[in-house]
Amino acid sequence: MPSQSNILPLPDDVLGEILKEVPLKELTSVSLVSKNVRGLAVPRMFRTFLFTPNLSADRQQGSRLQAAHEGSVAKLRFFTSGSISRHVRACYVNVSVCDASHRDACAHKQLLDLFFELIPSLANVQKLEFREVPFNVFALAQLGKLSNIDL
């Protein structure tokens, strides 16, 4: 049985070009082939962060609202973690608060506050796009900490 290092005896640049052709949906599975393949695939897998807190879309109640909030927090913490944030190059934030109840609006505010608190960890982001996001002084100050973005 060949050792793991000999499974794909290709130079990283060639392997990287091959991985560019793999559909993003399948890249996670392909990244399980070896540590080397994973190391080359991860930057592509996490280069885009879409943050869309889904709290009021179907007027969720009680535990469903809490679960949606916790899911958004978990996704935000994952993408701003040290091992993932360095790969993020584009970040899209869409917060639709149409028809939101007061509780939904408060949950959105908490998530946005956390987002702007953590955004400096996305130091390599080159593109930011916001939809229906209310900005405050804190949010704008945090955005100013991103050196690769021209505001």
Side-chain angles (χ1 to χ4, degrees):
M1 176 181 251
S3 71
Q4 190 171 14
S5 61
N6 293 333
I7 290 175
L8 294 171
L10 298 171
D12 285 353
D13 57 335
V14 173
L15 192 52
E17 289 299 314
I18 293 169
L19 291 174
K20 285 180 184 177
E21 301 301 318
V22 176
L24 200 52
K25 283 182 161 182
E26 297 173 20
L27 200 54
T28 302
S29 297
V30 172
S31 73
L32 299 175
V33 168
S34 71
K35 288 181 182 180
N36 187 41
V37 171
R38 180 166 176 74
L40 294 169
V42 164
R44 182 165 167 237
M45 289 168 34
F46 300 112
R47 71 177 172 211
T48 301
F49 173 27
L50 175 61
F51 186 60
T52 308
N54 185 17
L55 299 179
S56 61
D58 62 359
R59 298 187 156 267
Q60 300 172 10
Q61 298 295 319
S63 61
R64 287 181 53 213
L65 177 63
Q66 182 65 26
H69 179 79
E70 290 172 2
S72 293
V73 169
K75 182 177 182 179
L76 181 55
R77 291 205 183 277
F78 174 78
F79 272 92
T80 58
S81 68
S83 60
I84 300 301
S85 64
R86 63 184 173 184
H87 303 297
V88 179
R89 298 295 183 270
C91 181
Y92 302 92
V93 183
N94 184 0
V95 180
S96 177
V97 291
C98 302
D99 264 352
S101 69
H102 176 68
R103 183 171 63 179
D104 293 344
C106 289
H108 275 107
K109 183 182 180 323
Q110 290 173 344
L111 287 171
L112 283 174
D113 287 349
L114 181 60
F115 174 82
F116 286 114
E117 179 184 322
L118 296 174
I119 200 168
S121 64
L122 298 175
N124 294 322
V125 165
Q126 298 166 345
K127 181 177 183 177
L128 277 171
E129 185 174 305
F130 296 95
R131 288 206 171 139
E132 300 185 47
V133 175
F135 291 96
N136 57 28
V137 173
F138 173 71
L140 294 173
Q142 292 296 93
L143 286 172
K145 294 179 181 180
L146 295 173
S147 60
N148 291 333
I149 299 288
D150 291 326
L151 298 174

